[in-house]
Every structure is written in C-alpha cells, then in structure tokens.
Amino acid sequence: MLKRHYTRREVLKLTSLGLGSGALLSSYFPAPSLGQAGGVLSKLNIAHVGLAHQGEFSLQGCSTENQIALCDVDENYLARAKEKRPSAKTYVDFRVMLDEMGDKLDAIVVATPDHTHAIVAISGMKRGLHCYSEKPLGHDLYQVRQMRKTALEKNLVTQMGTQIHALDNYRRVVELVQSGAIGKVTDVKVWCSNRYLAKPKATEPVKCPDELKWDLWLGPAADRPYDPRFAPGSWRSFWDFGNGAMGDMACHYLDLPYWALGLDKTAPISVETTSPNPVDDETCGYDLTAKYVFAPLKSGDEPLTLSWQDGHARPECLKELELDKFGAGVLFFGTDGILFSTYHEHALLPKAKFEGFTPPEQTIPKSLGHHAEWIDAIKRGRGASENSTTCRFEYSGKIAETVLLGCFAYRCGQKLEYDAEQMKATNCPEAEKYFKQYCRPGWEV
C-alpha cells in the first residue's frame, strides 16, 4: 500500500485529535522540514503581518520558529525585518500572501493598526491558521465576536497580545484575590496616565511616502487622501483607526481583574463614560472615566463595580492611599482590605493590618512566555480548549468587548444599558452603528 503524504496542516489536526505521535507520523509523514519529534512539531511556519513596534516585538517572540512570510504596507519596515530573515518571502498585501503561501503556513501573527486586526486575523483563521493578534482584537464589537466565533469553529490556538499576563506579578495578585486575602471584592479601580492628543491637520496636502501603500493601510476604513497624522503617526488618536488610550491600554489592565475575579464568566450590564472634553466625531476621547457594573457571578451577590480612568483622570483615593506617584495601576477593594498592583509589583493595604501576612501558596505555574505558550499549545494540538493559552480569544475577546463598550458609551454621550447575549444597548439604538461599523466594500469581516 502506498503511504500517504500528509500536509503540515493535516499533521497539526491529527495532533489536536490525539493522533499525532508514534508510528502514525513516522510511517506516513516523510517531510523532514516539519522536524517532528515524539509527535510534537519542532518548528512552525509563521507569517507575520505588521512589522513595526509590537510587530517587531512579536518577531523576536517567535524567533524560535520558521518565519517564512513577512507582510507590511510600509516597505521600510518590510526591508528591516527581511534583513534578519533573508529566506522569508515578503509582501505588502496580506491577501496576496495568504493566497500564495497556502498550506505552507501553520500560524499567523497580527500586529497591524487596530482597525485592521480582525480582517487580517479572520482571513488567516478561515484558512486554518492559528492566530496571535494584538489587542483589542477588533475595532468594534461585531469584529471581536467574529474573532471568537472563527477561532472556536476552526478549533484554533489563539492568543491576544496582553504580554503582562505572562509575568509573575499578575499570578501572585490573582492568588491573593482568589485566596480571600482581602475578603470579597466589591469594587475595582483602574487607571493609566496615557493621554493621546491628535496632531494639528496640515494646512497643505502632503504627498504619501513612496514606501507606504496608502490604500492597503486604510484597509476597511473609508477612503480619504493621505494624512501624515494617521501614518506613520498618531493613528490611535482617531476613531476610524484606534480608540485612544482606553483602546490601547485597558486590555492590559482590565486583564488582571478579569482573571482574578472570573469576569469572563459574566458581563457588564451597564457602562457610563465621561470626560471634561467634548465628544468629537473624528478624534478619540481622553481624560476618560468609564464606570462599569457587572452582573453578579453568583445568585444573591451584589453587582461588581469597575472603573477605568486615563490621562488626567485619576481615582480620588490615590493620595489618601499614598499611591499618587503611580501613573497606572489596579486597586481591588475588598471587605477585609485593599490590594494594589502595577505590572511589576503589588501591595496589601493598609500596611499595618497586613504586617506579617503570609501569602498563599503559589498555585499558578510560571509562564513559558506569552508567545512561547501559544507556540507550544499549537505544537501540542491543544486547539481552542480552555487550557490552550492563558489569553485565548474566547477569554480575551470578552475583555476587548468591555473596553470597546466604554469607548462607544463615550461616543454616544450617555450611559448604556447592555445586553451582552444580544450585543445590544437596550436603551440606546444609536449605539448599534458603533457596535458594527462601516467597512469599505471588499474589506468586510
């Protein structure tokens, strides 16, 4: 009988079904480039889309693998990445890349501006590619839902780029909260001093740099002439491409209460966002205060309140708690105390009460690394299961949705009563245009 030559994609699928080891692969998979050992793939073939800043960080994070395809709409970034990976094929259009590379790819990393995350990621996932995407996954609620849906339907290993989740400090904070060190948590306050202001518009038209493919950079956004304020500049300050400081940073900080309190098992039922600055149709809000109420996790519990503040907006209690020097952080208020955390340190308050306190046993294992755990899960065929990665889309997508919901409440100018199951603001039909936004024909998710 002739032996069948399995493709890389089929081997990964067999692994996810528990069939990817032993005699099966050694007998039927002759391709030495896969580098199979003991049923675990030694190296993945990865495509990277978006190569600047976070994209460059992900290139380093995945450098153990075969980075065989590089894509960026700016040829300068493309050339810089190619220098270190001379054998990689380069593209300015991710669609051409996916068409040409076909079954040669195992996974895709997306580090483009926010408004193109979903279109790139979903295009890859629909082809069966495991996906690592920067936050906040999508530019609206519909896109985030589609990211989650596609990952589950295709049984893919996914990871949102909330890299702080992999550090030890967050693990120790989660253990403290879940051990009851501060009692029952009733309120969470989150703040970050990032403040993004739009640059003034040029008085004369500016020619698009030759190296930048402007139409591809716009992607699903409405067509318009090149504007240096957007690329390579401060696109995060404009609603069509980003969602300000909240869209940029809140996924990192809200990840901690989501993890510690299991908020992915519930959902916000309302959000009210305010700012001393007027709402603008083009530029994002700043100095925001967003107040969320979450449905109780257990019957009989009180709803949890959570607030986000950015820029010059800060919790009033910081001075009293002697935390006013910190530009960002998370405060858990419990019935028996307060827990404060930044990315890298934490403290129980008041200090006198917790003097001599013995921390709970460390039960959350050390991370392999944010990229490394995604890569390892793919090789071990873990698919979309709950133990695949710590920030799989089914978990992190709910954080992204909460973040975007706050931005949209600000744009609506009123409190939103939210039905997460139906993805509707029950008191504000106007919000629907933000929940699923305009996409240029041919760029729909």
Side-chain angles (χ1 to χ4, degrees):
M1 183 179 73
L2 291 175
K3 294 180 179 179
R4 181 183 173 193
H5 286 219
Y6 280 75
T7 66
R8 296 178 61 88
R9 193 73 49 76
E10 287 173 321
V11 172
L12 285 171
K13 188 171 183 179
L14 289 170
T15 306
S16 71
L17 295 172
L19 301 173
S21 59
L24 179 65
L25 289 183
S26 61
S27 298
Y28 288 95
F29 194 81
S33 63
L34 187 63
Q36 170 268 332
V40 179
L41 307 181
S42 64
K43 287 197 175 185
L44 302 175
N45 285 347
I46 299 181
H48 288 260
V49 185
L51 307 174
H53 312 303
Q54 285 301 114
E56 188 172 27
F57 177 75
S58 283
L59 282 167
Q60 296 170 2
C62 299
S63 61
T64 57
E65 309 308 302
N66 298 322
Q67 296 168 313
I68 66 171
L70 305 173
C71 180
D72 200 292
V73 298
D74 189 317
E75 292 179 333
N76 282 344
Y77 293 123
L78 198 58
R80 188 169 70 186
K82 171 78 169 176
E83 283 181 6
K84 297 181 180 179
R85 299 155 190 87
S87 62
K89 293 201 68 175
T90 57
Y91 300 87
V92 294
D93 190 331
F94 75 91
R95 298 167 298 184
V96 176
M97 179 194 74
L98 291 174
D99 286 342
E100 289 190 2
M101 298 306 287
D103 286 341
K104 295 176 184 177
L105 294 170
D106 302 314
I108 189 169
V109 175
V110 182
T112 59
D114 292 2
H115 72 294
T116 51
H117 286 174
I119 182 67
V120 178
I122 291 173
S123 296
M125 288 194 291
K126 284 183 175 179
R127 293 171 181 261
L129 302 185
H130 302 279
C131 185
Y132 181 107
S133 175
E134 280 302 328
K135 42 72 192 166
L137 294 189
H139 198 49
D140 60 33
L141 305 190
Y142 173 77
Q143 289 184 355
V144 173
R145 293 284 177 103
Q146 291 302 111
M147 292 277 272
R148 290 169 52 196
K149 180 174 180 284
T150 307
L152 289 174
E153 286 178 350
K154 294 291 186 176
N155 192 31
L156 299 172
V157 178
T158 57
Q159 184 89 306
M160 183 171 79
T162 40
Q163 298 82 12
I164 312 305
H165 194 106
L167 300 184
D168 286 343
N169 183 63
Y170 269 24
R171 284 161 161 67
R172 305 292 82 82
V173 171
V174 171
E175 290 162 353
L176 283 167
V177 171
Q178 294 183 352
S179 70
I182 60 170
K184 189 170 186 59
V185 176
T186 57
D187 183 47
V188 180
K189 297 186 187 301
V190 184
W191 75 100
C192 176
S193 60
N194 287 33
R195 194 171 189 255
Y196 303 153
L197 303 181
K199 296 178 181 178
K201 191 169 185 177
T203 55
E204 298 288 338
V206 179
K207 181 182 179 295
C208 181
D210 292 339
E211 64 271 14
L212 178 63
K213 309 309 174 189
W214 178 240
D215 187 71
L216 293 175
W217 190 92
L218 284 175
D223 191 19
R224 73 202 72 197
Y226 171 72
D227 189 325
R229 296 182 302 163
F230 307 149
S234 56
W235 56 264
R236 290 192 184 280
S237 301
F238 298 87
W239 293 123
D240 281 355
F241 314 115
N243 284 286
M246 189 172 188
D248 183 23
M249 299 303 299
C251 282
H252 289 299
Y253 287 99
L254 265 60
D255 175 36
L256 185 55
Y258 256 79
W259 187 7
L261 299 171
L263 296 183
D264 60 307
K265 304 298 190 296
T266 179
I269 54 178
S270 71
V271 56
E272 184 173 13
T273 311
T274 58
S275 169
N277 309 298
V279 177
D280 185 88
D281 288 338
E282 182 185 33
T283 58
C284 298
Y286 54 95
D287 303 335
L288 300 185
T289 296
K291 295 181 179 180
Y292 297 90
V293 176
F294 281 79
L297 277 166
K298 296 179 182 177
S299 177
D301 283 355
E302 291 295 317
L304 176 86
T305 59
L306 181 152
S307 65
W308 160 269
Q309 293 180 286
D310 62 46
H312 292 167
R314 293 162 63 82
E316 294 180 358
C317 61
L318 293 185
K319 188 171 183 179
E320 178 186 349
L321 295 173
E322 299 182 352
L323 300 173
D324 48 328
K325 69 177 181 180
F326 290 95
V330 181
L331 278 168
F332 294 88
F333 290 84
T335 53
D336 296 326
I338 300 169
L339 176 54
F340 163 68
S341 179
T342 65
Y343 281 171
H344 304 288
E345 60 184 305
H346 63 270
L348 291 163
L349 304 171
K351 292 179 181 179
K353 178 175 181 177
F354 290 96
E355 189 173 346
F357 175 81
T358 301
E361 179 185 355
Q362 294 184 11
T363 55
I364 304 173
K366 190 176 185 67
S367 173
L368 296 172
H370 204 59
H371 292 92
E373 68 179 54
W374 173 66
I375 290 167
D376 183 69
I378 296 170
K379 292 178 180 181
R380 297 184 184 279
R382 288 178 180 161
S385 64
E386 278 198 41
N387 67 347
S388 58
T389 61
T390 54
C391 294
R392 67 190 186 113
F393 292 173
E394 190 57 20
Y395 163 81
S396 59
K398 296 176 182 178
I399 303 173
E401 183 172 315
T402 296
V403 171
L404 294 175
L405 188 65
C407 297
F408 301 154
Y410 171 72
R411 297 183 74 178
C412 289
Q414 69 172 87
K415 180 179 181 178
L416 299 184
E417 305 290 345
Y418 189 54
D419 181 339
E421 186 174 346
Q422 299 298 319
M423 203 180 77
K424 289 186 178 296
T426 56
N427 66 326
C428 182
E430 181 190 353
E432 303 296 319
K433 68 182 181 184
Y434 301 122
F435 291 2
K436 185 178 181 181
Q437 299 180 32
Y438 167 84
C439 284
R440 274 201 296 168
W443 291 91
E444 299 89 353
V445 170

